[in-house]
């Protein structure tokens, strides 16, 4: 989804699903030293704030990847953001979400007795 269809998509999700849990994912601008960082935060994502757009908040939690420097000429900065960085960050976020869902929805496996785990850690 994107800025043009954001409101309609949110409305469609809320009509189709009872109490949906939405994890919003987006790229953002930040400080130079934070480029490449991925942040996971509770609460809704406020898309477009980096480029002064006023869009509806999305989700119960959000994941943002810092893709470039913010604070000056944001549109130009976004146009010159390395696509390879964005793709690598998307891969990390996607893999993390898939692995988290697998762990959450799979029944726990039988583990070794507590004493065996403790003994293995102390050696």
């Amino acid at each position: 989804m994107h800025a043009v269809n954001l409101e309609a998509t949110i409305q469609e999700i809320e009509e189709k699903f009872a109490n949906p849990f939405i994890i919003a994912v987006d790229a953002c601008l930040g400080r130079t030293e934070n480029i490449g960082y991925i942040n996971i935060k509770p609460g809704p994502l406020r898309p477009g704030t980096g480029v002064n757009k006023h869009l509806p908040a999305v989700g119960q939690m959000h994941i943002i990847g810092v893709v470039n420097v913010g604070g000056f000429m944001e549109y130009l900065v976004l146009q010159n953001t390395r696509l390879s960085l964005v793709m690598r960050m998307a891969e990390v976020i996607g893999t993390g979400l898939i692995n988290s869902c697998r762990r959450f929805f799979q029944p726990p496996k039988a583990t070794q007795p507590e004493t065996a785990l403790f003994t293995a850690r102390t050696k």
Side-chain angles (χ1 to χ4, degrees):
M1 77 176 77
H2 48 78
V4 175
N5 69 4
L6 182 61
E7 286 187 61
T9 304
I10 293 169
Q11 184 176 353
E12 184 179 338
I13 290 169
E14 290 175 348
E15 288 172 1
K16 286 185 178 182
F17 301 97
N19 197 25
F21 187 86
I22 299 172
I23 302 171
V25 181
D26 200 4
C28 73
L29 301 175
R31 291 193 226 149
T32 304
E33 62 268 20
N34 294 334
I35 294 174
Y37 278 60
I38 296 169
N39 300 296
I40 302 171
K41 298 181 179 184
L45 174 73
R46 304 206 187 307
T49 55
V51 289
N52 297 317
K53 286 187 181 179
H54 300 287
L55 299 169
V58 182
Q60 285 67 39
M61 68 177 293
H62 64 277
I63 301 172
I64 52 173
V66 182
V67 297
N68 214 330
V69 180
F72 182 69
M73 296 175 56
E74 282 84 1
Y75 284 108
L76 183 62
V77 168
L78 282 173
Q79 293 299 317
N80 290 298
T81 297
R82 293 184 320 239
L83 182 58
S84 62
L85 172 64
V86 175
M87 295 301 291
R88 284 195 317 265
M89 294 175 80
E91 181 73 27
V92 169
I93 292 168
T95 301
L97 286 170
I98 289 168
N99 289 336
S100 296
C101 287
R102 283 184 181 151
R103 284 187 174 189
F104 182 80
F105 291 109
Q106 285 184 353
K109 296 178 183 176
T111 59
Q112 297 176 3
E114 194 70 31
T115 55
L117 288 174
F118 179 76
T119 304
R121 289 184 186 143
T122 58
K123 288 185 177 180

